[in-house]
Amino acid sequence: MNNSPAWSLVVHGGCGQLSPETLPGPEAECRAGLSDALAAGKSVLGAGGSAVDAVVAAVRILEDHPLFNAGRGAVFTAEGRTELDAAVMDGTTRKAGAVAGVTRTRNPVQLARAVMQKSAHVLLARDGADVFALEQGLEQVEPGWFRVESRWQALQMMKAAAARGENMFDADLKYGTVGAVARDAQGHLAAATSTGGLTGKRWGRIGDSPLIGAGTLADDRSVALSCTGSGEAFIRAGVGHEMGALVRLAGLSAAQAAERALADVNMLGGTGGIIFIGRDGMPGWVFSTPGMFRGRATACDEDEVAIWGSEG
């Protein structure tokens, strides 16, 4: 693309040591889920809607899709629970909302948006976030609604390995976060991220996804981004803040900033991926794993959906 598109959108469904044997479901279904998320966001942007509306619409599709680790299809904690995290940020105002450890809201990304728009806070967690969801009238479901049998079996395999004295925690390195970033026709940016976290996580562990300036950031002055990967490394590297500063203060492009930030994650022993859109509207991604579920669309190009490192 030589010219800045009128609007642009990027989505992701996680990354990791992916192979045809380790996909969470049939490859065609994984690609279809990404295409559906793109379609939801495109319908908003193509009609002149806001970047915030677009990223929430796209992420909702991925949260409801059982092959992605967010909402329905989330992984289980060591105690056999689903604890969901999400964040939304508006690049125009730099307002943000996030939730961590929620258990009954069907679409955590909508709850994060409600925190941004209808509270005086940025991050709500656990019981308080669940109460806020009820007060906002958001759709609630029984915890069993999130359960997907393959996710449950992954936890049982991890426990069985632990009983044999093996360390299976995150051994297959499949990071299932989902996210979306967008630039609308008015030139405004937004980002949203949602996740079920890591299989077997304990003690209320929270990763980078709901942390503004780590796994999620949108700033009209620089870049919108959503991350997936080794959450602890992304937190320590402050990936979102780092990318924004590199674009705004050092004059790097969004793509250059993403490469630099991901290199820092790798240096800290982590792996992962980042989707991004710069203030010029140019969309992209970087990742340091064999595969990443991803897709992008603009007002002037054909949609692209990819999984493997050799694509795109």
Side-chain angles (χ1 to χ4, degrees):
M1 294 177 293
N2 296 319
N3 299 314
S4 185
W7 56 259
S8 48
L9 172 72
V10 191
V11 302
H12 76 81
C15 68
Q17 303 298 327
L18 299 177
S19 71
E21 293 73 34
T22 62
L23 292 180
E27 182 174 331
E29 291 185 23
C30 296
R31 291 180 183 270
L34 294 168
S35 293
D36 289 346
L38 283 176
K42 284 173 56 181
S43 69
V44 173
L45 295 170
S50 73
V52 170
D53 285 343
V55 296
V56 171
V59 169
R60 281 187 63 190
I61 295 296
L62 296 171
E63 286 179 334
D64 282 344
H65 198 297
L67 296 185
F68 298 100
N69 174 20
R72 188 163 184 253
V75 298
F76 287 88
T77 69
E79 296 78 23
R81 292 162 46 91
T82 48
E83 297 180 355
L84 313 174
D85 307 334
V88 176
M89 189 167 185
D90 182 343
T92 308
T93 60
R94 284 189 283 163
K95 286 187 175 181
V99 292
V102 300
T103 61
R104 291 179 177 268
T105 300
R106 172 171 173 166
N107 293 110
V109 70
Q110 289 186 294
L111 181 52
R113 182 178 189 170
V115 173
M116 177 177 74
Q117 295 180 330
K118 299 180 179 180
S119 84
H121 308 300
V122 171
L123 175 60
L124 301 182
R126 303 180 73 79
D127 292 349
D130 284 337
V131 169
F132 182 73
L134 290 171
E135 293 177 355
Q136 297 304 311
L138 295 176
E139 183 178 356
Q140 304 293 288
V141 294
E142 291 299 316
W145 188 88
F146 299 112
R147 175 172 172 152
V148 169
E149 186 61 25
S150 61
R151 303 297 195 191
W152 180 254
Q153 292 305 320
L155 176 64
Q156 305 317 306
M157 290 173 61
M158 181 177 289
K159 288 185 171 181
R164 296 192 300 267
E166 302 173 17
N167 180 14
M168 289 291 290
F169 184 74
D170 208 23
D172 53 6
L173 294 177
K174 293 193 291 292
Y175 303 114
T177 307
V178 307
V181 294
R183 180 182 183 271
D184 59 33
Q186 291 71 47
H188 301 310
L189 299 174
T193 312
S194 183
T195 187
L198 296 174
T199 300
K201 63 183 180 179
R202 300 180 64 192
W203 311 299
R205 179 264 186 188
I206 298 168
D208 64 305
S209 297
L211 302 186
I212 303 303
T216 306
L217 183 84
D219 184 343
D220 281 5
R221 302 173 301 170
S222 55
V223 65
L225 62 98
S226 174
C227 302
T228 176
S230 310
E232 282 71 13
F234 277 80
I235 293 169
R236 291 161 60 205
V239 166
H241 179 271
E242 185 80 357
M243 280 185 61
L246 287 169
V247 172
R248 187 165 53 89
L249 304 177
L252 273 63
S253 69
Q256 291 169 328
E259 294 279 4
R260 181 85 63 87
L262 189 56
D264 195 26
V265 168
N266 296 338
M267 187 175 65
L268 294 175
T271 59
I274 308 166
I275 60 170
F276 57 84
I277 294 176
R279 59 186 177 183
D280 60 359
M282 302 308 248
W285 49 60
V286 295
F287 54 98
S288 59
T289 55
M292 179 177 176
F293 298 105
R294 61 202 190 274
R296 58 186 165 196
T298 75
C300 53
D301 287 293
E302 294 292 327
D303 296 1
E304 179 182 359
V305 169
I307 298 175
W308 313 114
S310 59
E311 299 178 273

